[in-house]
Amino acid sequence: MEKCELLFRNCSESSRLYLAISGEKIIFRCERICYSLELCLGQLQNMVEPKLAAQISKIVDYIKSVVFTLDSSEDEAGRVLLALLHQDIKASKFAQLEELKAFKFAAPRLHITSPLAIVIEKRSIRKQLSKTLDTDPAKKKILNYLLYLVLKYGKSIKEETESIEGDEDDAFDSLETPLKFKNRHLSVLSSSSSVPSFNSSLGDLNLQVDNVSIVSSDAGIEDGFDEIQEKHKRFNCNPLGPNLFILGNLSVLPWAARRKAIEDVKTQLKDDQESHLFVSTSYISPVLKFVKEAHRLGDSGAKRQGAELLLMFLKDCRTDMPRLPKGVMSDLSLFLDSDITEEALLVLEVLSCQRRYTCEIVTSGILLFLLEVIKNQQSNHHHVGLRVLCNLSAHEDLGHHMIYLGFIQHLVPFLDELLLSGCCVKIFGNLCAIEEAAAHFVENESCITSIGELLELDYKVEEQEHALEILTSLYYQHEQVRKILLQDGIVSALGYLSGNGSCKCKSMSVELLRLLNNTPDDHSQTSSLSDTSGSTDGSLKTSSKSSGGLFRGIKSMFRKS
């Protein structure tokens, strides 16, 4: 009730122009207060005698019937003002015309038509400016612009008015009294005209609500609206309305209502990109609980809808990811081994970037699941699975576990897959810095050969750069690597890239050729390496394609067989 009174007070003191652009946010604030009151009274019902509980029940029923709506004329005025703010037009005759048209459209709908109303609007804006901190530059910018509109175009508003008696200051001060409303922006609609009151041993609780209208409040802006405007340089209201608020209270709703709330929010986020601006990290945990409950109930459709919405929220909050409840990876491991494997993998892809979950990933058995995914040649989840492993391999402690579990030997075949080789070589690049991994690469000569084949011309530059980094790192760690690198296909590709690759490929190819050429043993290869490093013509390109490419094709045939 204190929050409600504060909302009323802010409504009565605020600028009408400023309120017009934030009406939807005020509706959201009213609905939240109303719902909180409903929850509190619902808890009281279980604590009092039956007679009083019945009275409380009537009040709760009334609260549930209340609907908040925007007055159509003030909604129209707000939209026109928002459109003007969106334009961000420069000073010109055209700009002045647009401003005048917008102000003339909005002012009558907001009842800013008399000299006194214009004076009140000026002072309301100035008062809000004085209360606005320097940490809210976006809000100050809006208020200053609205004040500019009133000062410049207020005189153009022509309307016959009755003579005004008394001092304007006294009239203005009288309108600042809390709970006294002149401009009505929100209508509270209900089927009943009054609400019962009740008394209890806890004290007198009298709740009187009539069919009244209240004014949009500056308090709605206090709840993050200006922060969002400043961040995104946009001036629009929360289009999701009560749906997001409901997400925070899913557990108290019937299952069918929960399902509908999840579906509605997901649909709106999908259809309206601006809705993503209002996503908060506080919505992630309730949706995760919903997915767990859907899994427990065996509701596949709800589980998939919830997982997809959870993924949307995680992506939107990627830069400000909250710490999810303990055991989230154990929950994900259950989802991975169910009918929403793909959705669970996509969620895991986002979370796997966070180092905080490494211990949970190990204990939950997720690594073992991923190993089975890549071992299964018929799996439909190779691509997203490799992306997850790419993130996990960047954490050194998880890299050790991947090596111990034998991931390297099972990842090698993916080097021959055009669409998957990029992820695979990134994983190897992350792992090769670990000494145990380098030993595995050396023991598996075909692995190094496959990495060397990525230097051929039909691969992406990024993959070639990763391959060169891996080969150079392995060369420094193990002398045995030199013999493998001296294969004709690899040497020819190094020679070509040293003269025709990207800047990074050129420098690394030259360095690797220098290392191979400066080794004292195997003199028979030395002259050929010198010749290769200086050759960048088409014959070398043909050599690279014919030798390495043919070998790769033959090897790929044997693997498939």
Side-chain angles (χ1 to χ4, degrees):
M1 297 305 296
E2 290 176 356
K3 289 180 180 179
C4 187
E5 290 181 3
L6 178 62
L7 180 62
F8 289 164
R9 186 178 302 114
N10 287 326
C11 288
S12 65
E13 297 175 356
S14 296
S15 154
R16 298 177 183 182
L17 292 172
Y18 189 63
L19 294 174
I21 66 175
S22 54
E24 289 288 350
K25 190 68 178 180
I26 310 307
I27 286 183
F28 175 65
R29 187 69 177 267
C30 289
E31 288 173 339
R32 185 172 64 182
I33 292 174
C34 202
Y35 190 70
S36 297
L37 181 58
E38 180 187 335
L39 291 179
C40 291
L41 292 175
Q43 292 174 352
L44 282 176
Q45 278 184 282
N46 300 322
M47 301 167 59
V48 298
E49 59 186 18
K51 184 178 179 181
L52 185 57
Q55 291 179 301
I56 297 176
S57 178
K58 293 180 181 179
I59 298 175
V60 172
D61 290 340
Y62 174 84
I63 293 173
K64 289 180 178 179
S65 70
V66 173
V67 178
F68 298 92
T69 60
L70 274 175
D71 182 87
S72 59
S73 61
E74 291 153 349
D75 183 35
E76 292 171 355
R79 292 180 183 277
V80 169
L81 291 172
L82 283 171
L84 185 64
L85 289 168
H86 276 288
Q87 291 180 25
D88 194 22
I89 49 182
K90 298 180 180 179
S92 66
K93 290 184 178 179
F94 172 75
Q96 293 178 8
L97 180 61
E98 290 296 307
E99 290 171 346
L100 180 59
K101 286 169 59 179
F103 188 75
K104 281 190 172 183
F105 181 89
R109 287 164 174 78
L110 301 177
H111 309 288
I112 309 175
T113 53
S114 67
L116 175 59
I118 292 172
V119 170
I120 291 173
E121 184 65 14
K122 291 177 187 176
R123 296 185 181 180
S124 296
I125 297 174
R126 289 192 176 109
K127 187 173 181 179
Q128 281 183 267
L129 276 169
S130 67
K131 292 182 178 180
T132 303
L133 301 176
D134 293 333
T135 53
D136 283 339
K139 184 175 181 179
K140 280 197 169 185
K141 182 179 178 181
I142 297 173
L143 290 170
N144 279 315
Y145 184 67
L146 295 178
L147 181 60
Y148 154 78
L149 290 178
V150 177
L151 291 172
K152 186 165 185 176
Y153 303 109
K155 294 180 180 180
S156 65
I157 302 298
K158 298 178 181 180
E159 177 176 289
E160 294 183 1
T161 58
E162 298 179 357
S163 60
I164 302 172
E165 299 180 358
D167 185 70
E168 289 182 347
D169 290 340
D170 293 338
F172 175 76
D173 292 337
S174 68
L175 290 176
E176 292 184 328
T177 305
L179 304 184
K180 185 172 183 179
F181 309 106
K182 191 71 176 177
N183 180 26
R184 297 179 175 183
H185 275 248
L186 287 176
S187 300
V188 184
L189 308 178
S190 176
S191 57
S192 58
S193 59
S194 62
V195 184
S197 63
F198 63 89
N199 300 311
S200 73
S201 57
L202 298 176
D204 294 337
L205 175 58
N206 295 303
L207 179 62
Q208 301 294 335
V209 182
D210 298 319
N211 284 334
V212 299
S213 299
I214 62 175
V215 187
S216 303
S217 161
D218 196 35
I221 306 301
E222 296 171 359
D223 210 14
F225 182 45
D226 277 341
E227 181 181 348
I228 295 170
Q229 285 183 326
E230 180 180 358
K231 181 177 179 182
H232 298 279
K233 304 300 181 185
R234 300 294 301 273
F235 303 93
N236 55 356
C237 301
N238 188 343
L240 290 172
N243 281 334
L244 287 181
F245 171 61
I246 292 174
L247 289 184
N249 301 275
L250 281 177
S251 59
V252 301
L253 298 175
W255 182 247
R258 293 189 227 179
R259 285 196 57 165
K260 187 177 186 306
I262 293 292
E263 292 171 5
D264 288 347
V265 175
K266 177 175 169 286
T267 299
Q268 190 154 4
L269 285 172
K270 185 177 180 181
D271 296 341
D272 183 5
Q273 291 301 312
E274 289 189 356
S275 301
H276 290 262
L277 303 180
F278 298 92
V279 170
S280 167
T281 57
S282 62
Y283 306 134
I284 294 177
S285 290
V287 176
L288 178 60
K289 291 179 181 178
F290 173 85
V291 180
K292 290 170 61 177
E293 183 67 9
H295 181 75
R296 186 185 69 81
L297 296 174
D299 191 336
S300 298
K303 184 165 57 172
R304 179 167 282 103
Q305 293 277 356
E308 290 173 351
L309 181 58
L310 177 62
L311 180 63
M312 287 182 177
F313 285 162
L314 289 173
K315 287 182 175 179
D316 285 336
C317 303
R318 193 187 295 266
T319 57
D320 186 26
M321 185 76 68
R323 187 175 186 90
L324 298 185
K326 188 176 181 180
V328 63
M329 289 301 160
S330 297
D331 297 329
L332 267 181
S333 66
L334 294 176
F335 304 152
L336 287 170
D337 194 21
S338 70
D339 51 355
I340 59 164
T341 299
E342 185 73 10
E343 291 81 2
L345 281 171
L346 291 171
V347 170
L348 181 59
E349 182 185 4
V350 179
L351 296 179
S352 59
C353 298
Q354 305 288 319
R355 184 176 295 275
R356 66 182 68 157
Y357 298 114
T358 54
C359 291
E360 283 190 52
I361 288 173
V362 174
T363 57
S364 65
I366 285 178
L367 283 177
L368 292 174
F369 176 84
L370 293 171
L371 182 61
E372 291 303 315
V373 168
I374 65 171
K375 286 169 67 175
N376 180 7
Q377 296 183 356
Q378 306 303 319
S379 175
N380 297 321
H381 310 297
H382 285 158
H383 200 282
V384 64
L386 287 176
R387 295 204 305 268
V388 172
L389 288 173
C390 191
N391 293 338
L392 297 180
S393 62
H395 309 309
E396 187 174 349
D397 46 352
L398 286 177
H400 283 283
H401 285 280
M402 291 175 63
I403 296 166
Y404 171 76
L405 292 172
F407 271 87
I408 291 177
Q409 61 181 348
H410 295 294
L411 286 170
V412 173
F414 293 106
L415 290 171
D416 294 330
E417 301 290 337
L418 189 60
L419 298 178
L420 302 177
S421 58
C423 284
C424 188
V425 74
K426 285 182 182 178
I427 296 170
F428 286 163
N430 291 333
L431 295 179
C432 74
I434 302 174
E435 186 176 353
E436 292 87 341
H440 279 273
F441 286 126
V442 173
E443 292 172 3
N444 191 345
E445 182 175 329
S446 63
C447 179
I448 299 178
T449 303
S450 296
I451 294 172
E453 290 166 2
L454 295 179
L455 304 178
E456 294 183 5
L457 303 180
D458 53 350
Y459 283 94
K460 296 179 181 178
V461 172
E462 184 182 6
E463 295 176 21
Q464 292 175 337
E465 291 174 353
H466 283 305
L468 285 168
E469 289 175 347
I470 295 171
L471 296 177
T472 304
S473 175
L474 293 176
Y475 180 91
Y476 278 113
Q477 294 183 63
H478 290 272
E479 294 182 357
Q480 302 95 304
V481 175
R482 180 177 182 273
K483 182 178 179 181
I484 304 173
L485 295 181
L486 288 174
Q487 297 178 39
D488 289 342
I490 295 178
V491 171
S492 298
L494 287 173
Y496 182 79
L497 290 176
S498 66
N500 300 277
S502 65
C503 292
K504 191 173 182 180
C505 283
K506 285 180 181 179
S507 61
M508 287 192 293
S509 297
V510 169
E511 173 65 12
L512 197 50
L513 285 170
R514 184 189 65 78
L515 291 170
L516 294 172
N517 206 27
N518 288 342
T519 305
D521 57 345
D522 202 351
H523 297 287
S524 61
Q525 293 282 352
T526 303
S527 59
S528 63
L529 284 174
S530 300
D531 295 340
T532 301
S533 61
S535 302
T536 59
D537 56 10
S539 62
L540 182 55
K541 176 178 177 180
T542 303
S543 173
S544 174
K545 295 287 288 184
S546 60
S547 57
L550 177 61
F551 178 78
R552 185 187 55 168
I554 296 172
K555 181 178 67 174
S556 209
M557 288 172 58
F558 275 106
R559 279 191 179 138
K560 290 178 181 178
S561 63

